Amino acid sequence: MELALRRSPVPRWLLLLPLLLGLNAGAVIDWPTEEGKEVWDYVTVRKDAYMFWWLYYATNSCKNFSELPLVMWLQGGPGGSSTGFGNFEEIGPLDSDLKPRKTTWLQAASLLFVDNPVGTGFSYVNGSGAYAKDLAMVASDMMVLLKTFFSCHKEFQTVPFYIFSESYGGKMAAGIGLELYKAIQRGTIKCNFAGVALGDSWISPVVCLCQRHVRHLQRDALSQLMNGPIRKKLKIIPEDQSWGGQATNVFVNMEEDFMKPVISIVDELLEAGINVTVYNGQLDLIVDTMGQEAWVRKLKWPELPKFSQLKWKALYSDPKSLETSAFVKSYKNLAFYWILKAGHMVPSDQGDMALKMMRLVTQQE
Ligand SMILES: *[C@@H]1O[C@H](CO)[C@@H](O)[C@H](O)[C@H]1NC(C)=O
Ligand SMILES: *[C@@H]1O[C@H](CO)[C@@H](O)[C@H](O)[C@H]1NC(C)=O
Ligand SMILES: *[C@@H]1O[C@H](CO)[C@@H](O)[C@H](O)[C@H]1NC(C)=O
């Protein structure tokens, strides 16, 4: 996820949005879904650091949420908002026009979106000294959030918990996954941690600044949605905070850490027996599949030679279709998905295949 600071004209649909939603001052928003249960809140993760999370309980006509996994989604950036991008542009129940999303992951998992690091999305800091400076701080902040979350929502303590991520979120997911594993071992967090999935990840960064102008238009539209109807719905966002208002500062504070590779952390995860999935969009020019394969080859994991020898297996998002939509390779606790015709944001480009991959990773297929 990349920060876009440019202003662009307001898209026409947004001007119509208040009309479509029947909004005027004080009006009740008529949300267009048959809604499942959702809850959201802030957690004070450090002095002056407030992290926002938003949970949707799985909505599946045959299964109770307790029989389905819990997926935490982490956006990239650093500074990209999960509650905004991941939720409304990729896997949440509604798209950014507030229309139901056919391929929402909610049909197969409960979803936890966290605006992380602090300062991202609706998360905020009070004073410039409180931004996270490196991966260690990002992970320790998240441990405070997860500890609070799992002790307030005991119903999720036994549910398999997976961390899915995109772009720089992958680097955070690896670091967070390792800290979570240790916290569970120490008994400080009660959680059924089942694995991490690193999408289009900056595990070992390839320098490319070309994404600067990607998708800025949608971003502006999303910002108006988040700072308009969504903020009204949530009610708890402080008046002096706006969605994305501190994103640039999050990025600047993490900049130095940004280029440090975390291959050794992935090695530690594999060594600890945690399931690690790597996935990449074939058309991703920012983090290309070749680059992903290159850092995977640098792992010191003893099983790597066996993993590397495997042949790619074709996957079909539609069982009746003859068109391959992905390739997978998997050995013991490492799996690699290569999603065809998808760019940097896999679920928004290949919704069906992304949903199928999530089901495979979470052992539902
Ligand atoms: C779903 O699971 C929760 C937690 O285990 C339980 O409290 C609830 O009664 C279940 N609901 C249904 C409809 O079975
Ligand atoms: C923010 O920090 C200032 C200065 O330390 C303090 O006076 C203020 O109460 C803080 N506000 C919040 C919301 O914590
Ligand atoms: C981890 O991956 C292995 C191999 O694919 C699988 O058998 C196992 O069920 C997975 N465990 C979890 C908790 O997802």
Side-chain angles (χ1 to χ4, degrees):
M1 184 62 52
E2 168 57 21
L3 302 170
L5 305 170
R6 273 180 45 182
R7 300 258 155 199
S8 50
V10 179
R12 198 168 299 159
W13 68 264
L14 246 175
L15 298 173
L16 290 171
L17 190 63
L19 263 173
L20 294 172
L21 290 169
L23 283 185
N24 39 56
V28 176
I29 300 169
D30 187 15
W31 296 93
T33 43
E34 65 287 4
E35 274 170 79
K37 191 172 158 193
E38 345 167 0
V39 283
W40 55 86
D41 207 353
Y42 278 103
V43 171
T44 306
V45 292
R46 256 183 294 119
K47 186 178 177 315
D48 292 332
Y50 308 91
M51 202 178 277
F52 180 73
W53 59 269
W54 188 347
L55 166 75
Y56 295 83
Y57 287 75
T59 50
N60 180 297
S61 50
C62 307
K63 283 189 171 146
N64 191 357
F65 79 88
S66 58
E67 300 166 67
L68 291 166
L70 170 63
V71 167
M72 176 165 78
W73 178 266
L74 298 180
Q75 212 71 38
S81 160
S82 300
T83 67
F85 298 109
N87 186 4
F88 290 99
E89 294 194 342
E90 302 195 72
I91 61 170
L94 301 177
D95 65 17
S96 47
D97 294 322
L98 301 181
K99 300 247 165 50
R101 172 179 283 107
K102 210 170 77 280
T103 56
T104 177
W105 287 15
L106 212 54
Q107 56 201 291
S110 298
L111 295 177
L112 176 63
F113 296 98
V114 182
D115 281 341
N116 143 93
V118 276
T120 300
F122 285 127
S123 296
Y124 63 95
V125 299
N126 181 23
S128 56
Y131 291 103
K133 302 280 189 298
D134 54 27
L135 184 58
M137 207 158 170
V138 166
S140 72
D141 283 353
M142 185 61 86
M143 289 312 108
V144 180
L145 185 125
L146 291 177
K147 189 178 161 107
T148 311
F149 176 82
F150 283 108
S151 41
C152 297
H153 291 276
K154 295 200 167 51
E155 70 273 28
F156 283 107
Q157 286 180 355
T158 53
V159 166
F161 177 64
Y162 293 86
I163 306 174
F164 274 74
S165 59
E166 190 172 275
S167 190
Y168 189 83
K171 187 167 171 173
M172 296 192 284
I176 287 166
L178 190 59
E179 281 314 301
L180 179 59
Y181 169 76
K182 291 178 187 164
I184 294 167
Q185 298 288 304
R186 282 195 300 268
T188 51
I189 297 181
K190 284 205 181 69
C191 150
N192 179 6
F193 182 35
V196 295
L198 317 170
D200 301 70
S201 282
W202 290 75
I203 296 298
S204 179
V206 205
V207 184
C208 175
L209 299 172
C210 56
Q211 81 266 44
R212 186 131 293 194
H213 297 291
V214 178
R215 286 174 192 259
H216 57 84
L217 200 114
Q218 290 94 317
R219 238 147 248 190
D220 244 28
L222 187 64
S223 158
Q224 305 204 27
L225 172 68
M226 298 304 283
N227 283 313
I230 300 306
R231 182 196 178 91
K232 267 201 187 125
K233 167 190 163 113
L234 299 174
K235 293 190 175 73
I236 61 168
I237 313 303
E239 249 165 52
D240 56 346
Q241 300 301 333
S242 64
W243 180 86
Q246 297 182 335
T248 313
N249 294 331
V250 173
F251 187 86
V252 169
N253 276 273
M254 293 290 294
E255 208 165 19
E256 209 174 303
D257 200 58
F258 193 68
M259 297 315 245
K260 290 186 193 146
V262 293
I263 301 174
S264 64
I265 294 184
V266 178
D267 260 322
E268 283 187 71
L269 288 168
L270 288 168
E271 203 59 45
I274 294 160
N275 281 6
V276 176
T277 300
V278 179
Y279 67 95
N280 213 77
Q282 168 211 19
L283 305 175
D284 189 347
L285 301 176
I286 303 167
V287 184
D288 61 292
T289 303
M290 303 267 272
Q292 292 281 38
E293 288 190 278
W295 77 253
V296 167
R297 274 198 300 273
K298 286 190 190 145
L299 289 168
K300 297 199 171 67
W301 187 49
E303 309 288 354
L304 189 67
K306 288 192 194 112
F307 174 88
S308 304
Q309 277 163 22
L310 293 175
K311 286 222 172 76
W312 290 99
K313 183 180 148 215
L315 291 174
Y316 306 86
S317 56
D318 175 359
K320 292 186 290 280
S321 164
L322 292 175
E323 201 183 331
T324 306
S325 38
F327 289 99
V328 63
K329 210 187 228 199
S330 144
Y331 188 74
K332 295 209 167 149
N333 55 333
L334 177 65
F336 195 125
Y337 288 79
W338 183 24
I339 315 290
L340 304 182
K341 295 185 192 158
H344 198 56
M345 296 169 93
V346 170
S348 72
D349 294 333
Q350 287 296 341
D352 289 316
M353 189 56 227
L355 175 59
K356 185 187 170 85
M357 178 189 73
M358 188 271 276
R359 286 196 166 114
L360 285 163
V361 170
T362 60
Q363 311 295 317
Q364 298 183 62
E365 276 187 26

